Amino acid sequence: MPEFSTLSPAIEAIDLGKRVADASGELTILQHINFTVQAGSTLAIVGASGSGKSTLLGLLAGLDTPSSGTVKLSGVDIFALDEDGRARMRKQQLGFVFQSFQLLSHLNALENVMLPLELRQEANAREKAEAMLGRVGLGSRLKHYPKYLSGGEQQRVALARAFVSEPPLLFADEPTGSLDAVTGEAIIRLMFELNQERASTLVLVTHDSAIAAQCKRTITIAAGKLLQQ
């Protein structure tokens, strides 16, 4: 694994761009994106649907590759790593919360949360996962499979899975987009509480200005360009 530095910004997007081929030739999704996020900070990425927010988050996490520019996480250029190297980096450095939960249907709540710990071969994976599920209010639902959990409960499992390995970086893509307003508000409150407890860096994509306002900083993406910081 590369050496991640606690002295460097948690995230640096450097002249980041993304283009894809389409019927007309080439479509520019993102261009000339530059910003930094300091360790322990919270950042909201906002913008209209189709503006490139989720694409940007995927690039920051190394889930997609840029057409130009690069991303540094704690001083490490993640696109200087090969695909296996980026996968190892995500396993050690990142937690990710998806709008669609992305729970494994054949695993129960406890097994879903244990999975990242087991992949890291951590001791006491079961105890840590049980404690984390208790922290998100699901201590009595450990053996329930995703299909028997409500949307809010599934997102709580997803939060527990993202936080259980105490990653220095947490990315969330529209984490309340599939939830009703009351449940979504509870999930966001829990996310910020967990983030503060663990002093991690949180970057979330949202269309909700009230959620964005809870972050220390907001950037706006419009037609693939960074409007404000």
Side-chain angles (χ1 to χ4, degrees):
M1 280 291 292
E3 193 70 30
F4 290 90
S5 171
T6 57
L7 300 177
S8 301
I11 302 168
E12 296 174 84
I14 304 168
D15 204 29
L16 204 56
K18 180 66 178 180
R19 299 179 299 277
V20 297
D22 70 358
S24 62
E26 190 174 67
L27 175 66
T28 298
I29 300 175
L30 293 169
Q31 55 183 319
H32 304 305
I33 303 295
N34 291 277
F35 64 88
T36 63
V37 183
Q38 297 303 317
S41 188
T42 52
L43 173 73
I45 301 172
V46 303
S49 180
S51 60
K53 304 186 302 298
S54 292
T55 298
L56 175 56
L57 197 67
L59 291 173
L60 296 178
L63 295 169
D64 194 6
T65 55
S67 303
S68 59
T70 195
V71 173
K72 290 184 178 181
L73 300 181
S74 299
V76 173
D77 184 344
I78 64 173
F79 295 110
L81 306 174
D82 60 18
E83 193 170 327
D84 288 342
R86 289 195 296 276
R88 288 192 295 272
M89 175 274 300
R90 284 191 296 272
K91 185 168 66 175
Q92 295 295 328
Q93 297 287 314
L94 302 182
F96 212 114
V97 181
F98 299 89
Q99 175 179 341
S100 55
F101 317 135
Q102 297 288 338
L103 301 178
L104 297 178
S105 61
H106 63 286
L107 299 181
N108 63 33
L110 179 61
E111 291 164 341
N112 265 284
V113 178
M114 286 174 61
L115 186 59
L117 297 173
E118 291 177 326
L119 290 173
R120 292 170 56 161
Q121 299 181 321
E122 287 201 20
N124 305 319
R126 176 177 291 272
E127 290 83 355
K128 290 179 180 179
E130 287 179 351
M132 194 68 231
L133 282 164
R135 176 67 183 79
V136 302
L138 291 176
S140 63
R141 310 283 276 173
L142 303 180
K143 299 300 178 66
H144 287 68
Y145 288 86
K147 67 180 179 179
Y148 298 116
L149 299 171
S150 68
E153 288 172 332
Q154 290 185 61
Q155 193 61 295
R156 285 173 181 266
V157 174
L159 272 182
R161 182 182 60 186
F163 276 104
V164 71
S165 55
E166 300 190 12
L169 295 170
L170 180 73
F171 293 146
D173 190 5
E174 297 280 11
T176 63
S178 299
L179 307 175
D180 64 79
V182 173
T183 304
E185 184 178 336
I187 290 294
I188 288 296
R189 185 167 57 250
L190 179 59
M191 178 182 293
F192 278 98
E193 286 175 2
L194 291 169
N195 188 69
Q196 187 172 34
E197 286 174 10
R198 285 156 176 74
S200 52
T201 305
L202 172 64
V203 178
L204 62 88
V205 164
T206 183
H207 63 277
D208 189 325
S209 58
I211 294 174
Q214 297 181 58
C215 292
K216 293 178 181 176
R217 183 170 162 218
T218 298
I219 62 173
T220 302
I221 304 294
K225 296 181 180 179
L226 182 62
L227 285 191
Q228 63 188 56
Q229 298 197 53

